[in-house]
Amino acid sequence: MDDAELVGLARAGDKAAFAVLLARHRPMLLALCRRALGDDLAEDAAQEAAVAAMLGLDRLERPERFGAWLAGIGLNVCRGWQREQARERWSLAAVTGGRAVPDPAPAELAEAAEAARRVRRAVRRLPAGQRAAVVLFYLMGLAHREVAGLLGIGVGAVKTRLHKGRAALRDELQAWWKEEQMATTTGLVRMRVAGVRRQPAAGERPQKVVILLEEEAGERQLCIWVGEFEALSVAIALQGTELPRPLAYQFMSSLLQATGGRLVEARVTRLDDGTFYAVAVVDGPGGTREVDARPSDALNLALITGAPILVDPAVLEATAGERGAELLAEAAAYPEDTAAIVAGFHAQQQQVRAEYERRRR
């Protein structure tokens, strides 16, 4: 049968007909995705395009051109992913949580690619029913009901397949994951906040603010790009500025004390896809807990409470060498330092008060 006949059958609910269509044109789709995104993301992009084609088959105006239509969907998916990758470097979540720039080092990219290959291989080894449910739910982001509709089964059956798929993946990937986690777990490096620097926005150039860390017993340094508010709070803490009302981090510290807790230490634990991650080690009535945190939040709380700041050596290694020098040079080139940032804040507050008094008169 030609494409038009198969499209007609697929629209009538024949899943086998759509499978034949996909098998016929998938090599072309995969080649387009590889050309746009590379080998690491091509499979996932092709899968997303296939699901989009399945869901939008009724919108295809010329069934005989299914192949070209599928290729167009694949290219749109790839373009969307490329735009997301470009935006993610300076997304709100990445910047306010702590961002490393420029892009990750080749070694990090290779490790991430290897992890992705391991996971994909494990997913491909699942039984067909479990594999379809896992791909649609976890990789494509569809809801249970949508997965059930696509697979022609009940929601309960989808949940059962997902449960079994998770168990199988856990069994296969657990040993590898433990090895990765145990690779660098000791020898945390004690550091201190050395300052803050800011590049004001100008034209199309965005504002960038960076916190500078330096090793207490050595010469290593670390740059973490954060949001404006978080950087301002660090600058105020470094300058010892008294404020008429507490900011969020002063309130957080007081709240912790009021509940009988204290911050034991702030740890910058890892660097994943250019974004830093941290934990706050908190001691309280219920014992000692590690709480996931953005580096900007953990550093601010550590400055206010006087808790030590520790960094995993792997994070320092990932930002060392030529790449680390580029980061430090970029940060050093920003024109505004800690004192200038705090002075600008006070000037802005005075302007606000002056405007308020003018309006009152």
Side-chain angles (χ1 to χ4, degrees), residues 183-195:
T184 53
T185 56
T186 59
L188 296 175
V189 178
R190 187 157 178 156
M191 306 191 79
R192 59 172 168 261
V193 178

Side-chain angles (χ1 to χ4, degrees), residues 237 249-250 253 299-307:
Y249 297 110
Q250 283 85 2
S253 174
L299 293 175
N300 265 293
L301 196 55
L303 279 174
I304 293 171
T305 61

Side-chain angles (χ1 to χ4, degrees), residues 82-113:
Q82 288 169 338
R83 286 193 298 270
E84 286 298 321
Q85 288 173 340
R87 281 198 298 265
E88 197 274 336
R89 286 192 62 193
W90 291 104
S91 68
L92 178 63
V95 171
T96 58
R99 180 74 181 167
V101 292
D103 290 333
E108 296 172 30
L109 295 174
E111 290 175 5

Side-chain angles (χ1 to χ4, degrees), residues 118-143:
R118 284 177 180 268
V119 173
R120 283 200 296 270
R121 279 200 303 268
V123 170
R124 282 198 292 268
R125 292 192 185 107
L126 293 173
Q130 295 177 23
R131 182 172 65 249
V134 166
V135 168
L136 291 172
F137 184 78
Y138 289 111
L139 301 185
M140 299 297 105
L142 300 184

Side-chain angles (χ1 to χ4, degrees), residues 1-63:
M1 287 186 288
D2 59 23
D3 286 357
E5 292 174 298
L6 288 170
V7 169
L9 291 173
R11 284 173 170 170
D14 188 338
K15 294 183 177 63
F18 185 84
V20 172
L21 279 169
L22 192 58
R24 182 178 292 175
H25 297 284
R26 191 175 185 280
M28 172 272 300
L29 173 64
L30 197 54
L32 286 173
C33 293
R34 282 202 180 101
R35 192 177 306 159
L37 299 173
D39 290 338
D40 295 329
L41 297 175
E43 289 277 355
D44 294 341
Q47 186 69 38
E48 181 170 326
V51 172
M54 182 189 300
L55 296 176
L57 197 59
D58 289 336
R59 296 194 296 271
L60 176 57
E61 296 179 358
R62 299 178 60 185

